[in-house]
């Protein structure tokens, strides 16, 4: 089973981990966040952890708060290749990017570039838009859907920061499944689909998203909007208990009848200090032959 690590980061590093936490560098700032897998001991000296700019302490599965130890701006820019985006450590433990997803960003850009026409790409649960912007930068027409207006505004700020104002991106604040069903009814078809569904979520109208209950329906919707000449699908899942092989089988159903391999495995990050591998998520992806 492949384990993908995002190897091309300059601005991000997992510096160390241990005692249920991880020490990461986001551009000029070092942050400490909870990491349940890090049951081992940190490899770096305590002084290096103590010098972190901010630490997030969890109070529940998603809740908690940031405590600044050194002054941090409200937000600061980071880069990945030609992409520019804002990072912030103030609201939740999520700071505006999932660095391990960079392994997919390059793959998505490669799929878009190797097509002979501008692809229509649908990004569901798009968050701050980094996959959207990578696809757009490579030449795709992208529809980006997220339930949170705040996430979409952040994504638009990232678009501006990356100098991609002129790219054809449709920003949609809506429940992903509701939007997908509407696109299917309207006869819209997409050549590429990016899925990053959380375990739970809510649409702007209070619609409940539950991975366990609704992922099958999401896949049916994706099948309905997939173009005959589709090029790729990539799904990333952080929900515990989902096996890469199950996700691969779900993707195989979506692309049934179209040629090309489905690959599945894990996204992981290698720590700088002792080389230990932290598993972040599972993924499956299909590309047309
Ligand atoms: C990037 S996804 C998943 C993040 C991460 N992969 C994880 O599972 O923790 C999170 C995004 O999904 C969005 N979201 C949650 N529920 C949604 C829904 N019903 N429809 C569309 N977007 C939703 C959130 O606003 C957020 O930006």
């Amino acid at each position: 089973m492949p384990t993908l690590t995002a190897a091309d980061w300059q601005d991000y590093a997992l510096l160390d981990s241990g005692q249920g936490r991880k020490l990461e560098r986001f551009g000029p700032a070092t942050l400490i966040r909870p990491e349940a897998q890090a049951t081992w001991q940190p490899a770096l000296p305590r002084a290096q952890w103590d010098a972190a700019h901010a630490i997030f302490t969890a109070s529940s599965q998603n809740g908690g708060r940031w405590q600044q130890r050194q002054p941090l701006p409200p937000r600061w820019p980071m880069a990945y290749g030609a992409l520019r985006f804002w990072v912030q450590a103030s609201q939740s433990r999520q700071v505006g990017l999932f660095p391990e997803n960079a392994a997919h960003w390059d793959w998505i850009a490669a799929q878009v570039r190797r097509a002979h026409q501008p692809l229509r790409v649908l990004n569901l649960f798009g968050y701050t838009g980094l996959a959207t912007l990578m696809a757009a930068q490579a030449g795709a027409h992208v529809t980006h859907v997220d339930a949170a207006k705040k996430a979409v505004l952040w994504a638009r700020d990232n678009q501006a920061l990356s100098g991609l104002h002129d790219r054809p991106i449709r920003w949609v604040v809506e429940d992903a499944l509701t939007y997908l069903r509407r696109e299917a009814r309207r006869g819209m078809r997409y050549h590429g689909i990016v899925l990053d569904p959380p375990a739970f979520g809510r649409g702007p109208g209070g619609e409940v998203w539950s991975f366990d209950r609704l992922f099958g329906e999401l896949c049916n919707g994706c099948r309905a909007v997939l173009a005959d000449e589709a090029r790729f699908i990539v799904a990333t899942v952080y929900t515990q208990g989902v096996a890469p092989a199950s996700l691969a089988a779900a993707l195989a159903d979506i692309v049934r009848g179209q040629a090309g391999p489905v690959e599945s495995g894990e996204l992981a990050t290698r720590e700088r200090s002792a080389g230990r591998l932290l598993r972040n998520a599972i993924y499956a992806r299909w590309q047309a032959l």
Side-chain angles (χ1 to χ4, degrees), residues 98 125 127 146-148 151 174-176 196-199 201-203 207 209 238:
F98 292 84
F125 308 95
Y127 190 41
D146 197 283
E174 202 171 337
D175 174 60
D196 191 355
R202 273 197 189 271
E207 305 90 338
W209 164 258
Y238 288 72

Side-chain angles (χ1 to χ4, degrees), residues 18-35:
Q19 289 178 345
R21 303 188 305 180
K22 55 186 172 185
L23 177 67
E24 300 166 285
R25 183 174 69 76
F26 290 88
T30 48
L31 306 178
I32 298 174
R33 298 192 290 170
E35 176 51 69

Side-chain angles (χ1 to χ4, degrees), residues 125 175-177 197-203 206-218:
F125 308 95
D175 174 60
L177 193 52
F200 296 101
R202 273 197 189 271
E207 305 90 338
V208 175
W209 164 258
S210 152
F211 183 91
D212 291 346
R213 280 202 304 109
L214 295 172
F215 187 64
E217 275 204 56
L218 191 79

Side-chain angles (χ1 to χ4, degrees), residues 62 94 98 100-101 124-128 144-149 151-152 172-178 195-204 207-210 236-239 281:
N62 290 314
Q94 306 307 349
F98 292 84
E100 61 279 6
N101 281 352
L124 296 176
F125 308 95
Y127 190 41
T128 55
H144 172 110
V145 184
D146 197 283
K149 190 169 177 195
V152 171
V172 179
V173 178
E174 202 171 337
D175 174 60
L177 193 52
T178 307
L195 301 172
D196 191 355
F200 296 101
R202 273 197 189 271
E207 305 90 338
V208 175
W209 164 258
S210 152
T236 312
V237 172
Y238 288 72
T239 308

Side-chain angles (χ1 to χ4, degrees), residues 25-227:
R25 183 174 69 76
F26 290 88
T30 48
L31 306 178
I32 298 174
R33 298 192 290 170
E35 176 51 69
Q37 283 171 80
T39 49
W40 45 78
Q41 293 304 310
L44 292 179
R46 171 107 190 247
Q48 246 165 291
W49 284 75
D50 287 347
H53 289 81
I55 176 166
F56 185 87
T57 309
S59 57
S60 62
Q61 197 175 1
N62 290 314
R65 68 181 198 96
W66 283 100
Q67 185 192 345
Q68 284 196 20
R69 292 169 166 174
Q70 294 187 50
L72 272 178
R75 63 179 187 173
W76 64 94
M78 264 179 73
Y80 182 80
L83 210 65
R84 300 283 178 277
F85 44 90
W86 295 105
V87 180
Q88 66 175 54
S90 56
Q91 282 164 2
S92 75
R93 75 176 68 190
Q94 306 307 349
V95 297
L97 75 153
F98 292 84
E100 61 279 6
N101 281 352
H104 288 330
W105 303 339
D106 292 324
W107 183 87
I108 291 167
Q111 304 310 313
V112 172
R113 287 205 182 92
R114 78 185 180 106
H116 301 297
Q117 52 168 349
L119 299 188
R120 279 192 305 278
V121 172
L122 178 63
N123 185 6
L124 296 176
F125 308 95
Y127 190 41
T128 55
L130 303 185
T132 290
L133 297 178
M134 280 301 268
Q137 194 171 53
H141 294 230
V142 189
T143 300
H144 172 110
V145 184
D146 197 283
K149 190 169 177 195
K150 211 188 280 178
V152 171
L153 289 174
W154 192 338
R156 296 184 78 136
D157 281 352
N158 290 339
Q159 176 185 20
L161 192 63
S162 294
L164 295 171
H165 334 64
D166 56 338
R167 297 302 163 122
I169 302 174
R170 234 159 82 82
W171 300 107
V172 179
V173 178
E174 202 171 337
D175 174 60
L177 193 52
T178 307
Y179 186 78
L180 185 61
R181 287 181 180 135
R182 178 148 9 93
E183 287 293 82
R185 281 199 301 277
R186 286 197 281 233
M188 271 303 291
R189 297 291 178 267
Y190 290 92
H191 305 106
I193 302 179
V194 181
L195 301 172
D196 191 355
F200 296 101
R202 273 197 189 271
E207 305 90 338
V208 175
W209 164 258
S210 152
F211 183 91
D212 291 346
R213 280 202 304 109
L214 295 172
F215 187 64
E217 275 204 56
L218 191 79
C219 292
N220 292 341
C222 288
R223 180 161 174 78
V225 301
L226 199 69

